[in-house]
PDB file of all heavy atoms in Angstrom:
ATOM      1  N   PRO A   1      44.084  47.079  91.159  1.00 95.00           N
ATOM      2  CA  PRO A   1      45.334  46.469  90.557  1.00 95.00           C
ATOM      3  C   PRO A   1      45.830  47.568  89.561  1.00 95.00           C
ATOM      4  O   PRO A   1      45.132  48.411  89.049  1.00 95.00           O
ATOM      5  CB  PRO A   1      44.989  45.206  89.954  1.00 95.00           C
ATOM      6  CG  PRO A   1      43.516  44.949  90.188  1.00 95.00           C
ATOM      7  CD  PRO A   1      42.952  46.127  90.911  1.00 95.00           C
ATOM      8  N   PHE A   2      47.159  47.341  89.188  1.00 94.00           N
ATOM      9  CA  PHE A   2      47.663  48.112  88.215  1.00 94.00           C
ATOM     10  C   PHE A   2      48.612  47.190  87.224  1.00 94.00           C
ATOM     11  O   PHE A   2      48.925  46.068  87.730  1.00 94.00           O
ATOM     12  CB  PHE A   2      48.403  49.363  88.723  1.00 94.00           C
ATOM     13  CG  PHE A   2      49.636  48.998  89.629  1.00 94.00           C
ATOM     14  CD1 PHE A   2      50.937  48.760  89.158  1.00 94.00           C
ATOM     15  CD2 PHE A   2      49.376  48.679  90.963  1.00 94.00           C
ATOM     16  CE1 PHE A   2      51.929  48.446  90.078  1.00 94.00           C
ATOM     17  CE2 PHE A   2      50.272  48.404  91.926  1.00 94.00           C
ATOM     18  CZ  PHE A   2      51.693  48.205  91.425  1.00 94.00           C
ATOM     19  N   THR A   3      48.868  47.680  86.047  1.00 94.00           N
ATOM     20  CA  THR A   3      49.554  46.806  85.095  1.00 94.00           C
ATOM     21  C   THR A   3      50.924  47.433  84.874  1.00 94.00           C
ATOM     22  O   THR A   3      51.053  48.681  84.542  1.00 94.00           O
ATOM     23  CB  THR A   3      48.820  46.683  83.799  1.00 94.00           C
ATOM     24  OG1 THR A   3      47.564  46.138  84.017  1.00 94.00           O
ATOM     25  CG2 THR A   3      49.604  45.709  82.824  1.00 94.00           C
ATOM     26  N   VAL A   4      51.988  46.697  85.063  1.00 94.00           N
ATOM     27  CA  VAL A   4      53.426  47.125  84.802  1.00 94.00           C
ATOM     28  C   VAL A   4      53.907  46.504  83.595  1.00 94.00           C
ATOM     29  O   VAL A   4      53.744  45.252  83.234  1.00 94.00           O
ATOM     30  CB  VAL A   4      54.328  46.721  86.040  1.00 94.00           C
ATOM     31  CG1 VAL A   4      55.697  47.110  85.844  1.00 94.00           C
ATOM     32  CG2 VAL A   4      53.638  47.316  87.353  1.00 94.00           C
ATOM     33  N   ARG A   5      54.679  47.333  82.854  1.00 93.00           N
ATOM     34  CA  ARG A   5      55.420  46.850  81.612  1.00 93.00           C
ATOM     35  C   ARG A   5      56.875  47.141  81.804  1.00 93.00           C
ATOM     36  O   ARG A   5      57.188  48.287  82.188  1.00 93.00           O
ATOM     37  CB  ARG A   5      54.842  47.551  80.329  1.00 93.00           C
ATOM     38  CG  ARG A   5      55.661  47.211  79.100  1.00 93.00           C
ATOM     39  CD  ARG A   5      54.967  47.769  77.797  1.00 93.00           C
ATOM     40  NE  ARG A   5      53.869  47.038  77.595  1.00 93.00           N
ATOM     41  CZ  ARG A   5      52.898  47.401  76.745  1.00 93.00           C
ATOM     42  NH1 ARG A   5      53.174  48.505  75.965  1.00 93.00           N
ATOM     43  NH2 ARG A   5      51.895  46.536  76.567  1.00 93.00           N
ATOM     44  N   THR A   6      57.691  46.228  81.536  1.00 91.00           N
ATOM     45  CA  THR A   6      59.066  46.411  81.561  1.00 91.00           C
ATOM     46  C   THR A   6      59.709  45.479  80.508  1.00 91.00           C
ATOM     47  O   THR A   6      59.148  44.549  79.930  1.00 91.00           O
ATOM     48  CB  THR A   6      59.692  46.013  82.969  1.00 91.00           C
ATOM     49  OG1 THR A   6      61.089  46.415  82.994  1.00 91.00           O
ATOM     50  CG2 THR A   6      59.612  44.529  83.363  1.00 91.00           C
ATOM     51  N   ASP A   7      60.937  45.706  80.037  1.00 84.00           N
ATOM     52  CA  ASP A   7      61.567  45.034  78.968  1.00 84.00           C
ATOM     53  C   ASP A   7      61.839  43.599  79.307  1.00 84.00           C
ATOM     54  O   ASP A   7      62.223  43.332  80.464  1.00 84.00           O
ATOM     55  CB  ASP A   7      62.972  45.739  78.646  1.00 84.00           C
ATOM     56  CG  ASP A   7      62.717  47.075  78.027  1.00 84.00           C
ATOM     57  OD1 ASP A   7      61.713  47.467  77.577  1.00 84.00           O
ATOM     58  OD2 ASP A   7      63.688  47.876  78.208  1.00 84.00           O
ATOM     59  N   GLY A   8      61.505  42.730  78.472  1.00 81.00           N
ATOM     60  CA  GLY A   8      61.890  41.383  78.603  1.00 81.00           C
ATOM     61  C   GLY A   8      60.918  40.395  79.400  1.00 81.00           C
ATOM     62  O   GLY A   8      61.240  39.284  79.473  1.00 81.00           O
ATOM     63  N   ILE A   9      59.743  40.901  79.961  1.00 85.00           N
ATOM     64  CA  ILE A   9      58.721  40.168  80.526  1.00 85.00           C
ATOM     65  C   ILE A   9      57.469  40.588  80.098  1.00 85.00           C
ATOM     66  O   ILE A   9      57.285  41.731  79.709  1.00 85.00           O
ATOM     67  CB  ILE A   9      58.924  40.180  82.174  1.00 85.00           C
ATOM     68  CG1 ILE A   9      58.570  41.516  82.646  1.00 85.00           C
ATOM     69  CG2 ILE A   9      60.259  39.786  82.661  1.00 85.00           C
ATOM     70  CD1 ILE A   9      58.494  41.705  84.259  1.00 85.00           C
ATOM     71  N   PRO A  10      56.443  39.659  80.093  1.00 92.00           N
ATOM     72  CA  PRO A  10      55.148  40.055  79.712  1.00 92.00           C
ATOM     73  C   PRO A  10      54.604  41.055  80.730  1.00 92.00           C
ATOM     74  O   PRO A  10      54.963  41.114  81.946  1.00 92.00           O
ATOM     75  CB  PRO A  10      54.368  38.821  79.824  1.00 92.00           C
ATOM     76  CG  PRO A  10      55.346  37.636  79.786  1.00 92.00           C
ATOM     77  CD  PRO A  10      56.552  38.279  80.410  1.00 92.00           C
ATOM     78  N   ASP A  11      53.510  41.854  80.330  1.00 93.00           N
ATOM     79  CA  ASP A  11      52.887  42.840  81.207  1.00 93.00           C
ATOM     80  C   ASP A  11      52.314  41.954  82.440  1.00 93.00           C
ATOM     81  O   ASP A  11      51.891  40.842  82.365  1.00 93.00           O
ATOM     82  CB  ASP A  11      51.704  43.429  80.548  1.00 93.00           C
ATOM     83  CG  ASP A  11      52.118  44.568  79.528  1.00 93.00           C
ATOM     84  OD1 ASP A  11      53.456  44.719  79.296  1.00 93.00           O
ATOM     85  OD2 ASP A  11      51.335  45.163  79.038  1.00 93.00           O
ATOM     86  N   LEU A  12      52.491  42.558  83.601  1.00 93.00           N
ATOM     87  CA  LEU A  12      52.071  41.902  84.857  1.00 93.00           C
ATOM     88  C   LEU A  12      50.973  42.853  85.534  1.00 93.00           C
ATOM     89  O   LEU A  12      51.282  43.975  85.661  1.00 93.00           O
ATOM     90  CB  LEU A  12      53.255  41.840  85.793  1.00 93.00           C
ATOM     91  CG  LEU A  12      52.877  41.292  87.155  1.00 93.00           C
ATOM     92  CD1 LEU A  12      52.444  39.816  87.067  1.00 93.00           C
ATOM     93  CD2 LEU A  12      54.223  41.405  88.018  1.00 93.00           C
ATOM     94  N   THR A  13      49.877  42.331  85.929  1.00 95.00           N
ATOM     95  CA  THR A  13      48.864  43.085  86.682  1.00 95.00           C
ATOM     96  C   THR A  13      48.896  42.530  88.116  1.00 95.00           C
ATOM     97  O   THR A  13      48.759  41.390  88.413  1.00 95.00           O
ATOM     98  CB  THR A  13      47.477  42.773  86.048  1.00 95.00           C
ATOM     99  OG1 THR A  13      47.474  43.269  84.692  1.00 95.00           O
ATOM    100  CG2 THR A  13      46.403  43.678  86.775  1.00 95.00           C
ATOM    101  N   ALA A  14      48.940  43.510  89.061  1.00 94.00           N
ATOM    102  CA  ALA A  14      49.051  43.211  90.456  1.00 94.00           C
ATOM    103  C   ALA A  14      48.590  44.307  91.295  1.00 94.00           C
ATOM    104  O   ALA A  14      48.378  45.380  90.859  1.00 94.00           O
ATOM    105  CB  ALA A  14      50.573  42.915  90.773  1.00 94.00           C
ATOM    106  N   ARG A  15      48.444  44.000  92.730  1.00 95.00           N
ATOM    107  CA  ARG A  15      48.188  45.102  93.522  1.00 95.00           C
ATOM    108  C   ARG A  15      49.438  45.677  94.198  1.00 95.00           C
ATOM    109  O   ARG A  15      49.411  46.825  94.756  1.00 95.00           O
ATOM    110  CB  ARG A  15      47.329  44.478  94.749  1.00 95.00           C
ATOM    111  CG  ARG A  15      45.825  44.158  94.414  1.00 95.00           C
ATOM    112  CD  ARG A  15      45.016  45.328  93.914  1.00 95.00           C
ATOM    113  NE  ARG A  15      44.734  46.319  94.941  1.00 95.00           N
ATOM    114  CZ  ARG A  15      43.633  46.458  95.481  1.00 95.00           C
ATOM    115  NH1 ARG A  15      42.522  45.749  95.121  1.00 95.00           N
ATOM    116  NH2 ARG A  15      43.398  47.327  96.392  1.00 95.00           N
ATOM    117  N   SER A  16      50.565  44.940  94.156  1.00 94.00           N
ATOM    118  CA  SER A  16      51.893  45.554  94.480  1.00 94.00           C
ATOM    119  C   SER A  16      53.039  45.111  93.655  1.00 94.00           C
ATOM    120  O   SER A  16      52.898  43.989  92.987  1.00 94.00           O
ATOM    121  CB  SER A  16      52.114  45.224  95.975  1.00 94.00           C
ATOM    122  OG  SER A  16      52.205  43.705  96.223  1.00 94.00           O
ATOM    123  N   PHE A  17      54.033  45.823  93.635  1.00 94.00           N
ATOM    124  CA  PHE A  17      55.149  45.575  92.740  1.00 94.00           C
ATOM    125  C   PHE A  17      56.372  46.333  93.294  1.00 94.00           C
ATOM    126  O   PHE A  17      56.303  47.402  93.649  1.00 94.00           O
ATOM    127  CB  PHE A  17      54.827  46.035  91.348  1.00 94.00           C
ATOM    128  CG  PHE A  17      55.914  45.629  90.303  1.00 94.00           C
ATOM    129  CD1 PHE A  17      55.636  44.382  89.621  1.00 94.00           C
ATOM    130  CD2 PHE A  17      56.897  46.378  89.926  1.00 94.00           C
ATOM    131  CE1 PHE A  17      56.506  43.914  88.681  1.00 94.00           C
ATOM    132  CE2 PHE A  17      57.915  45.958  88.876  1.00 94.00           C
ATOM    133  CZ  PHE A  17      57.630  44.684  88.268  1.00 94.00           C
ATOM    134  N   LEU A  18      57.535  45.547  93.314  1.00 92.00           N
ATOM    135  CA  LEU A  18      58.749  46.140  93.757  1.00 92.00           C
ATOM    136  C   LEU A  18      59.549  46.554  92.450  1.00 92.00           C
ATOM    137  O   LEU A  18      59.949  45.659  91.632  1.00 92.00           O
ATOM    138  CB  LEU A  18      59.533  45.141  94.472  1.00 92.00           C
ATOM    139  CG  LEU A  18      61.000  45.657  95.027  1.00 92.00           C
ATOM    140  CD1 LEU A  18      60.792  46.948  95.913  1.00 92.00           C
ATOM    141  CD2 LEU A  18      61.762  44.585  95.667  1.00 92.00           C
ATOM    142  N   PHE A  19      59.598  47.834  92.187  1.00 91.00           N
ATOM    143  CA  PHE A  19      60.362  48.471  91.120  1.00 91.00           C
ATOM    144  C   PHE A  19      61.749  48.462  91.463  1.00 91.00           C
ATOM    145  O   PHE A  19      62.160  49.053  92.483  1.00 91.00           O
ATOM    146  CB  PHE A  19      59.878  49.854  90.810  1.00 91.00           C
ATOM    147  CG  PHE A  19      58.313  49.860  90.469  1.00 91.00           C
ATOM    148  CD1 PHE A  19      57.371  50.050  91.418  1.00 91.00           C
ATOM    149  CD2 PHE A  19      58.026  49.803  89.206  1.00 91.00           C
ATOM    150  CE1 PHE A  19      56.067  50.106  91.129  1.00 91.00           C
ATOM    151  CE2 PHE A  19      56.739  49.884  88.670  1.00 91.00           C
ATOM    152  CZ  PHE A  19      55.718  50.007  89.601  1.00 91.00           C
ATOM    153  N   ARG A  20      62.605  47.637  90.719  1.00 90.00           N
ATOM    154  CA  ARG A  20      63.998  47.631  91.067  1.00 90.00           C
ATOM    155  C   ARG A  20      64.746  48.881  90.554  1.00 90.00           C
ATOM    156  O   ARG A  20      64.307  49.484  89.657  1.00 90.00           O
ATOM    157  CB  ARG A  20      64.695  46.389  90.323  1.00 90.00           C
ATOM    158  CG  ARG A  20      64.195  45.092  90.940  1.00 90.00           C
ATOM    159  CD  ARG A  20      64.883  43.907  90.328  1.00 90.00           C
ATOM    160  NE  ARG A  20      65.590  44.281  89.092  1.00 90.00           N
ATOM    161  CZ  ARG A  20      65.747  43.294  88.045  1.00 90.00           C
ATOM    162  NH1 ARG A  20      65.346  42.113  88.236  1.00 90.00           N
ATOM    163  NH2 ARG A  20      66.429  43.680  87.084  1.00 90.00           N
ATOM    164  N   ALA A  21      65.814  49.189  91.184  1.00 90.00           N
ATOM    165  CA  ALA A  21      66.534  50.442  90.891  1.00 90.00           C
ATOM    166  C   ALA A  21      67.231  50.236  89.471  1.00 90.00           C
ATOM    167  O   ALA A  21      67.593  49.107  89.061  1.00 90.00           O
ATOM    168  CB  ALA A  21      67.728  50.739  91.822  1.00 90.00           C
ATOM    169  N   ARG A  22      67.242  51.361  88.692  1.00 91.00           N
ATOM    170  CA  ARG A  22      67.882  51.363  87.348  1.00 91.00           C
ATOM    171  C   ARG A  22      67.210  50.396  86.338  1.00 91.00           C
ATOM    172  O   ARG A  22      68.041  50.027  85.418  1.00 91.00           O
ATOM    173  CB  ARG A  22      69.306  51.109  87.472  1.00 91.00           C
ATOM    174  CG  ARG A  22      70.060  52.279  88.306  1.00 91.00           C
ATOM    175  CD  ARG A  22      71.525  52.091  88.458  1.00 91.00           C
ATOM    176  NE  ARG A  22      72.163  53.200  89.157  1.00 91.00           N
ATOM    177  CZ  ARG A  22      72.140  53.246  90.403  1.00 91.00           C
ATOM    178  NH1 ARG A  22      71.652  52.395  91.279  1.00 91.00           N
ATOM    179  NH2 ARG A  22      72.744  54.363  91.121  1.00 91.00           N
ATOM    180  N   VAL A  23      66.031  49.994  86.541  1.00 92.00           N
ATOM    181  CA  VAL A  23      65.296  49.236  85.549  1.00 92.00           C
ATOM    182  C   VAL A  23      64.160  49.948  84.879  1.00 92.00           C
ATOM    183  O   VAL A  23      63.424  50.554  85.772  1.00 92.00           O
ATOM    184  CB  VAL A  23      64.806  47.895  86.082  1.00 92.00           C
ATOM    185  CG1 VAL A  23      63.981  47.081  85.121  1.00 92.00           C
ATOM    186  CG2 VAL A  23      65.938  46.944  86.584  1.00 92.00           C
ATOM    187  N   ARG A  24      63.976  50.169  83.588  1.00 94.00           N
ATOM    188  CA  ARG A  24      62.901  50.928  83.045  1.00 94.00           C
ATOM    189  C   ARG A  24      61.658  50.249  83.181  1.00 94.00           C
ATOM    190  O   ARG A  24      61.396  49.080  82.795  1.00 94.00           O
ATOM    191  CB  ARG A  24      63.244  51.192  81.707  1.00 94.00           C
ATOM    192  CG  ARG A  24      62.509  52.364  81.059  1.00 94.00           C
ATOM    193  CD  ARG A  24      63.100  52.787  79.757  1.00 94.00           C
ATOM    194  NE  ARG A  24      62.442  51.938  78.787  1.00 94.00           N
ATOM    195  CZ  ARG A  24      62.331  52.438  77.469  1.00 94.00           C
ATOM    196  NH1 ARG A  24      62.777  53.562  77.126  1.00 94.00           N
ATOM    197  NH2 ARG A  24      61.677  51.746  76.616  1.00 94.00           N
ATOM    198  N   TYR A  25      60.594  50.928  83.714  1.00 93.00           N
ATOM    199  CA  TYR A  25      59.256  50.340  83.796  1.00 93.00           C
ATOM    200  C   TYR A  25      58.280  51.472  83.395  1.00 93.00           C
ATOM    201  O   TYR A  25      58.540  52.607  83.264  1.00 93.00           O
ATOM    202  CB  TYR A  25      58.932  50.176  85.325  1.00 93.00           C
ATOM    203  CG  TYR A  25      59.698  49.213  86.039  1.00 93.00           C
ATOM    204  CD1 TYR A  25      60.842  49.614  86.767  1.00 93.00           C
ATOM    205  CD2 TYR A  25      59.463  47.818  86.066  1.00 93.00           C
ATOM    206  CE1 TYR A  25      61.688  48.571  87.458  1.00 93.00           C
ATOM    207  CE2 TYR A  25      60.219  46.953  86.716  1.00 93.00           C
ATOM    208  CZ  TYR A  25      61.291  47.332  87.389  1.00 93.00           C
ATOM    209  OH  TYR A  25      62.075  46.376  88.035  1.00 93.00           O
ATOM    210  N   GLU A  26      57.032  50.978  83.046  1.00 92.00           N
ATOM    211  CA  GLU A  26      55.980  51.933  82.799  1.00 92.00           C
ATOM    212  C   GLU A  26      54.702  51.195  83.457  1.00 92.00           C
ATOM    213  O   GLU A  26      54.439  50.041  83.254  1.00 92.00           O
ATOM    214  CB  GLU A  26      55.781  52.073  81.301  1.00 92.00           C
ATOM    215  CG  GLU A  26      54.616  52.973  81.048  1.00 92.00           C
ATOM    216  CD  GLU A  26      54.464  53.097  79.554  1.00 92.00           C
ATOM    217  OE1 GLU A  26      55.115  52.526  78.696  1.00 92.00           O
ATOM    218  OE2 GLU A  26      53.762  54.130  79.080  1.00 92.00           O
ATOM    219  N   ILE A  27      53.846  52.045  84.159  1.00 91.00           N
ATOM    220  CA  ILE A  27      52.615  51.531  84.638  1.00 91.00           C
ATOM    221  C   ILE A  27      51.607  51.917  83.505  1.00 91.00           C
ATOM    222  O   ILE A  27      51.367  53.036  83.203  1.00 91.00           O
ATOM    223  CB  ILE A  27      52.199  52.208  85.979  1.00 91.00           C
ATOM    224  CG1 ILE A  27      53.206  51.843  87.049  1.00 91.00           C
ATOM    225  CG2 ILE A  27      50.906  51.833  86.320  1.00 91.00           C
ATOM    226  CD1 ILE A  27      52.957  52.516  88.373  1.00 91.00           C
ATOM    227  N   ARG A  28      51.077  50.897  82.957  1.00 87.00           N
ATOM    228  CA  ARG A  28      50.174  50.942  81.794  1.00 87.00           C
ATOM    229  C   ARG A  28      48.658  51.273  82.144  1.00 87.00           C
ATOM    230  O   ARG A  28      48.072  51.973  81.532  1.00 87.00           O
ATOM    231  CB  ARG A  28      50.150  49.691  80.905  1.00 87.00           C
ATOM    232  CG  ARG A  28      51.618  49.369  80.465  1.00 87.00           C
ATOM    233  CD  ARG A  28      52.117  50.287  79.481  1.00 87.00           C
ATOM    234  NE  ARG A  28      51.236  50.192  78.312  1.00 87.00           N
ATOM    235  CZ  ARG A  28      51.238  51.021  77.223  1.00 87.00           C
ATOM    236  NH1 ARG A  28      52.153  51.990  77.208  1.00 87.00           N
ATOM    237  NH2 ARG A  28      50.502  50.764  76.257  1.00 87.00           N
ATOM    238  N   ASP A  29      48.186  50.528  83.183  1.00 84.00           N
ATOM    239  CA  ASP A  29      46.862  50.760  83.499  1.00 84.00           C
ATOM    240  C   ASP A  29      46.694  50.834  85.160  1.00 84.00           C
ATOM    241  O   ASP A  29      47.553  50.214  85.823  1.00 84.00           O
ATOM    242  CB  ASP A  29      45.932  49.544  83.100  1.00 84.00           C
ATOM    243  CG  ASP A  29      45.762  49.483  81.648  1.00 84.00           C
ATOM    244  OD1 ASP A  29      45.486  50.495  81.017  1.00 84.00           O
ATOM    245  OD2 ASP A  29      45.983  48.318  81.064  1.00 84.00           O
ATOM    246  N   GLY A  30      45.788  51.418  85.600  1.00 82.00           N
ATOM    247  CA  GLY A  30      45.529  51.597  86.955  1.00 82.00           C
ATOM    248  C   GLY A  30      44.479  52.617  87.310  1.00 82.00           C
ATOM    249  O   GLY A  30      44.327  53.500  86.434  1.00 82.00           O
ATOM    250  N   ALA A  31      43.995  52.660  88.472  1.00 83.00           N
ATOM    251  CA  ALA A  31      42.910  53.548  88.774  1.00 83.00           C
ATOM    252  C   ALA A  31      42.956  53.695  90.247  1.00 83.00           C
ATOM    253  O   ALA A  31      43.444  52.939  91.014  1.00 83.00           O
ATOM    254  CB  ALA A  31      41.488  52.998  88.362  1.00 83.00           C
ATOM    255  N   GLY A  32      42.463  54.943  90.685  1.00 87.00           N
ATOM    256  CA  GLY A  32      42.463  55.194  92.164  1.00 87.00           C
ATOM    257  C   GLY A  32      43.715  55.590  92.694  1.00 87.00           C
ATOM    258  O   GLY A  32      44.693  55.983  92.003  1.00 87.00           O
ATOM    259  N   ARG A  33      43.923  55.418  94.036  1.00 91.00           N
ATOM    260  CA  ARG A  33      45.120  55.835  94.843  1.00 91.00           C
ATOM    261  C   ARG A  33      46.204  54.860  94.726  1.00 91.00           C
ATOM    262  O   ARG A  33      45.952  53.569  94.781  1.00 91.00           O
ATOM    263  CB  ARG A  33      44.731  56.047  96.239  1.00 91.00           C
ATOM    264  CG  ARG A  33      43.687  57.157  96.521  1.00 91.00           C
ATOM    265  CD  ARG A  33      43.262  57.237  97.823  1.00 91.00           C
ATOM    266  NE  ARG A  33      42.635  55.882  98.269  1.00 91.00           N
ATOM    267  CZ  ARG A  33      42.726  55.283  99.410  1.00 91.00           C
ATOM    268  NH1 ARG A  33      43.230  55.973 100.449  1.00 91.00           N
ATOM    269  NH2 ARG A  33      42.176  54.081  99.541  1.00 91.00           N
ATOM    270  N   MET A  34      47.383  55.482  94.571  1.00 93.00           N
ATOM    271  CA  MET A  34      48.609  54.639  94.571  1.00 93.00           C
ATOM    272  C   MET A  34      49.539  55.025  95.669  1.00 93.00           C
ATOM    273  O   MET A  34      49.522  56.259  96.163  1.00 93.00           O
ATOM    274  CB  MET A  34      49.425  54.829  93.198  1.00 93.00           C
ATOM    275  CG  MET A  34      48.698  54.365  91.961  1.00 93.00           C
ATOM    276  SD  MET A  34      48.579  52.614  91.899  1.00 93.00           S
ATOM    277  CE  MET A  34      50.446  52.145  91.789  1.00 93.00           C
ATOM    278  N   LEU A  35      50.224  54.125  96.262  1.00 94.00           N
ATOM    279  CA  LEU A  35      51.158  54.444  97.360  1.00 94.00           C
ATOM    280  C   LEU A  35      52.527  54.032  96.668  1.00 94.00           C
ATOM    281  O   LEU A  35      52.657  52.794  96.327  1.00 94.00           O
ATOM    282  CB  LEU A  35      50.867  53.624  98.610  1.00 94.00           C
ATOM    283  CG  LEU A  35      51.961  53.700  99.804  1.00 94.00           C
ATOM    284  CD1 LEU A  35      52.022  55.138 100.305  1.00 94.00           C
ATOM    285  CD2 LEU A  35      51.637  52.742 100.870  1.00 94.00           C
ATOM    286  N   PHE A  36      53.523  54.860  96.762  1.00 93.00           N
ATOM    287  CA  PHE A  36      54.906  54.481  96.371  1.00 93.00           C
ATOM    288  C   PHE A  36      55.839  54.802  97.505  1.00 93.00           C
ATOM    289  O   PHE A  36      55.867  55.882  98.049  1.00 93.00           O
ATOM    290  CB  PHE A  36      55.232  55.397  95.151  1.00 93.00           C
ATOM    291  CG  PHE A  36      54.497  54.972  93.841  1.00 93.00           C
ATOM    292  CD1 PHE A  36      53.475  55.861  93.395  1.00 93.00           C
ATOM    293  CD2 PHE A  36      54.871  53.865  93.115  1.00 93.00           C
ATOM    294  CE1 PHE A  36      52.763  55.593  92.304  1.00 93.00           C
ATOM    295  CE2 PHE A  36      54.149  53.581  92.039  1.00 93.00           C
ATOM    296  CZ  PHE A  36      53.140  54.394  91.512  1.00 93.00           C
ATOM    297  N   CYS A  37      56.574  53.848  97.797  1.00 93.00           N
ATOM    298  CA  CYS A  37      57.572  53.922  98.919  1.00 93.00           C
ATOM    299  C   CYS A  37      58.948  53.714  98.354  1.00 93.00           C
ATOM    300  O   CYS A  37      59.406  52.752  97.796  1.00 93.00           O
ATOM    301  CB  CYS A  37      57.289  52.775  99.959  1.00 93.00           C
ATOM    302  SG  CYS A  37      55.642  52.544 100.393  1.00 93.00           S
TER     303      CYS A  37
END
């Protein structure tokens, strides 16, 4: 899993996440291989 931080919501740890367009995000923690589509 990886942890995502974005403005206005608590950090979220998940195996998948849909990053919306034009919203600022940061992946805080994670290990291993990632797939970005």
Side-chain angles (χ1 to χ4, degrees):
F2 57 96
T3 302
V4 177
R5 175 172 290 170
T6 188
D7 297 332
I9 64 169
D11 288 3
L12 175 67
T13 300
R15 289 297 289 253
S16 63
F17 189 86
L18 181 61
F19 297 88
R20 295 184 343 208
R22 296 180 178 85
V23 175
R24 196 168 90 151
Y25 298 95
E26 181 178 11
I27 299 178
R28 303 290 296 170
D29 291 313
R33 296 170 302 147
M34 295 288 297
L35 175 66
F36 291 102
C37 309

